[in-house]
Amino acid sequence: DGPDDGQKPANWTKLAENIYLNERKSCKNGKRDNKMQCDCDMQYEDGEPVPGCGEDCINRMLMIECNPKICPCGDFCQNQRFQKREHASVEVFKAGQKGWGLRAKEDISEGSFVLEYVGEVCSNQ
C-alpha cells in the first residue's frame, strides 16, 4: 500500500458539519445565533452587481462570517466561505507509517482559506 493507492481509512466518514455528542450550551442571552450585520454597501459596475464584503468588511476583519439573511451584499457577499463550503480541493491519503493525511489537490495561495475542520464535538464530561 503506497501513499497514492486511493484507499480511505476503514472507519472514516466525510462530514459536512460538526456532530455534537452532548447538548450545546446557549449564549448568555439564550440565543445561539448572534447576527452581526456588516456596514458594506452593494457595489455596481456598468449597472451590474460586483462581489462585496472584501478585506474592508467589518465582519471579515472580526473573523465573523456575514449572515446571508441580513448582509447588504446578498448573494454577492464574499464573506461566507464556511457557509457556502468554498474550500480548497483536498484528498485523504495514506502517508506510509504515519497513518492517514490530508493534502491539497491544487496550489493554495498564502493566506487563503483551506477548509473548516469538522468532527465529533464532545464535552469534558
Side-chain angles (χ1 to χ4, degrees):
D1 289 336
D4 293 308
D5 60 10
Q7 291 183 344
K8 299 282 185 267
N11 296 322
W12 181 81
T13 303
K14 183 177 180 179
L15 300 174
E17 57 187 41
N18 287 325
I19 296 173
Y20 292 86
L21 300 179
N22 303 94
E23 186 177 339
R24 292 174 67 184
K25 293 184 179 181
S26 295
C27 297
K28 291 179 184 178
N29 64 4
K31 296 180 181 177
R32 288 189 185 148
D33 186 24
N34 292 334
K35 296 178 177 141
M36 304 239 339
Q37 183 172 344
C38 66
D39 54 2
C40 298
D41 292 319
M42 186 66 134
Q43 301 292 318
Y44 296 87
E45 283 183 15
D46 299 324
E48 295 293 321
V50 295
C53 298
E55 298 302 318
D56 58 344
C57 174
I58 188 68
N59 282 354
R60 183 184 291 258
M61 289 187 276
L62 294 172
M63 299 181 137
I64 300 168
E65 284 207 344
C66 292
N67 183 307
K69 294 178 183 175
I70 61 173
C71 179
C73 296
D75 290 338
F76 295 91
C77 175
Q78 295 181 316
N79 186 33
Q80 298 173 16
R81 308 267 330 251
F82 283 81
Q83 296 167 78
K84 293 179 179 179
R85 300 199 191 328
E86 296 174 349
H87 52 76
S89 180
V90 295
E91 65 183 349
V92 174
F93 73 102
K94 188 147 186 185
Q97 294 179 336
K98 298 195 184 275
W100 295 94
L102 187 70
R103 67 177 165 210
K105 294 167 101 176
E106 58 194 24
D107 290 341
I108 300 172
S109 302
E110 182 178 342
S112 295
F113 176 67
V114 178
L115 80 132
E116 173 188 20
Y117 174 83
V118 295
E120 292 181 341
V121 180
C122 53
S123 71
N124 57 0
Q125 298 174 342

